Amino acid sequence: MARAYNFSAGPATLPEAVLRQAQAEMLDWNGVGASIVELSHRGAEFIGVAARAEADLRRLMSIPDDYAVLFLSGGATTQQALLALNFAAPGQAVDYVVTGHWSKTAIRQAGPYVDVHVAASSEAGGFRDIPPRESWSLSPGAAYVHITANETIHGVEYRQVPEVGEVPLFADFSSSIASEPIDVSRYGLIYAGAQKNLGPVGISVVIVRRDLLERAGQPRADIFTYASHAARDSMLNTPPTWNWYLLGLTVKWMLDEGGVEEFARRNAAKAALVYQAIDGSGGFYRNEVAPAVRSRMNIPFFLPDEQLTARFVSESKAAGLLALKGHKAVGGIRASLYNAMPVAGAQALVDFMRDFQQRNG
């Protein structure tokens, strides 16, 4: 079987080596006579898997000891609601910087619980840039400042950590986590759905400074309390064990491949290939994001008309290049270049783009 190059924004491509290991271990994990997904999450076997996944993620991302690492069911959207419940008092102000679709989603999830203040927004300009830090209007006494580190749909990415003073900075890193080195200590909390760079859909990672877990937050059930999950090593309830196991395999694969430094190099190379093809097309392809904040992970681009766009999607799929249709919110084409996408995949896309332009330009 020949695997295609999968440019899906999420659930996204996984490393072939990880899939093959999971396939080999599916019926009998580590010689115990059962699959890892059949073993108790409270048994020594799975506890070992979970502990290794956390240790490897800490090593991969250089996570300081004064940060807790949580592995939780669901996606990033769930965390967006839990941030407000755990870290803001009822009615307390929280600051959000809006740079695309997922920033707006984060506001909708927090809105019922806090006084959401939009500190800055690039919506008037079509989410093609990030508002300069000096234009932000931050609230005195805000519980936190929230940013979306990489906008999966609009293809906008922070290239520098914004300075927000003593208020903790919270960041949705769903589509760029572990794609390059970051200084975790610059953030109060980082969260990410795993299904782009870290593993399969159905599990999220929350990296949170331990002192923030002492905040009272708002009335909520214990199952929605980060401190309770941290106290029970993310096993307050039955976790998604198969997803956690696959996440652990993916993180180990990243370490074996050279870690975030190596993936930063690969990701820069892949993005450069695609952006050069767009910028060098004489306007046949166009990316509308300000060059200084162009995403390395998600590259949206447009063709001259909808008919050509539909043809591009159809022919690219036939050529073994999957899931290039843009999100319905913006249309066009979108190529997602997460860690598991090899440089050869980006080159195959560029070769197709050039051939398509020659035949249709």
Side-chain angles (χ1 to χ4, degrees):
M1 180 189 71
R3 279 176 58 79
Y5 291 120
N6 178 11
F7 294 92
S8 173
T13 188
L14 286 166
E16 184 173 343
V18 167
L19 294 175
R20 291 194 179 279
Q21 182 175 349
Q23 179 186 45
E25 295 177 344
M26 184 66 190
L27 294 180
D28 183 6
W29 177 81
N30 210 28
V32 303
S35 169
I36 189 68
V37 78
E38 299 172 295
L39 301 178
S40 169
H41 63 293
R42 303 198 187 281
E45 294 88 354
F46 185 79
I47 288 175
V49 168
R52 282 191 297 275
E54 178 176 341
D56 285 347
L57 185 63
R58 286 184 176 276
R59 179 182 163 202
L60 179 71
M61 295 183 61
S62 300
I63 300 172
D65 291 340
D66 60 339
Y67 283 71
V69 178
L70 309 178
F71 299 89
L72 303 173
S73 302
T77 307
T78 300
Q79 310 315 317
Q80 290 166 354
L82 295 181
L83 298 183
L85 286 173
N86 279 265
F87 302 112
Q92 187 177 10
V94 292
D95 287 330
Y96 280 74
V97 180
V98 181
T99 52
H101 175 90
W102 292 110
S103 298
K104 294 181 71 175
T105 299
I107 285 177
R108 287 199 301 272
Q109 304 312 311
Y113 311 111
V114 293
D115 177 16
V116 172
H117 174 242
V118 176
S121 175
S122 58
E123 186 167 15
F127 295 128
R128 296 181 177 92
D129 206 343
I130 290 175
R133 171 62 187 86
E134 58 270 20
S135 72
W136 296 11
S137 173
L138 299 179
S139 306
Y144 56 83
V145 178
H146 182 282
I147 64 171
T148 303
N150 183 87
E151 287 283 358
T152 315
I153 292 173
H154 289 90
V156 175
E157 181 178 24
Y158 284 83
R159 302 305 302 145
Q160 294 181 332
V161 183
E163 179 57 56
V164 295
E166 296 301 315
V167 177
L169 179 63
F170 289 7
D172 179 355
F173 265 91
S174 291
S175 49
S176 58
I177 193 168
S179 62
E180 65 178 349
I182 63 168
D183 183 355
V184 173
S185 69
R186 297 286 301 277
Y187 300 87
L189 182 147
I190 288 168
Y191 67 99
Q195 69 269 21
K196 303 174 191 296
N197 270 333
L198 290 183
V201 67
I203 188 168
S204 294
V205 169
V206 175
I207 303 167
V208 55
R209 209 173 66 212
R210 294 185 191 275
D211 66 292
L212 293 173
L213 295 174
E214 300 173 7
R215 288 190 179 183
Q218 303 188 29
R220 61 193 181 273
D222 194 43
I223 196 65
F224 299 139
T225 300
Y226 284 141
S228 297
H229 285 282
R232 299 289 291 274
D233 296 322
S234 300
M235 295 191 191
L236 183 62
N237 63 328
T238 304
T241 56
W242 174 253
N243 312 62
W244 200 339
Y245 155 77
L246 281 176
L247 183 153
L249 294 184
T250 304
V251 171
K252 183 179 184 303
W253 172 79
M254 284 191 274
L255 287 169
D256 291 344
E257 290 290 305
V260 290
E261 294 80 7
E262 172 61 16
F263 282 102
R265 185 192 67 78
R266 295 183 193 179
N267 292 331
K270 289 181 290 186
L273 280 170
V274 178
Y275 283 123
Q276 287 166 9
I278 294 168
D279 295 341
S281 70
F284 184 80
Y285 302 111
R286 71 183 193 279
N287 172 273
E288 299 177 347
V289 175
V293 296
R294 282 175 163 179
S295 171
R296 299 157 303 125
M297 298 284 96
N298 310 102
I299 302 180
F301 59 94
F302 302 90
L303 283 83
D305 58 54
E306 291 301 320
Q307 184 176 2
L308 280 174
T309 300
R311 188 180 305 162
F312 185 100
V313 171
S314 175
E315 292 186 9
S316 62
K317 182 177 181 181
L321 309 174
L322 305 183
L324 284 164
K325 184 177 180 180
H327 191 275
K328 61 184 179 180
V330 296
I333 305 297
R334 175 175 54 173
S336 294
L337 306 175
Y338 302 127
N339 285 354
M341 173 61 66
V343 175
Q347 185 62 59
L349 171 59
V350 166
D351 291 343
F352 175 83
M353 291 169 66
R354 289 172 177 157
D355 176 69
F356 186 87
Q357 182 178 359
Q358 288 176 356
R359 291 184 287 106
N360 297 279

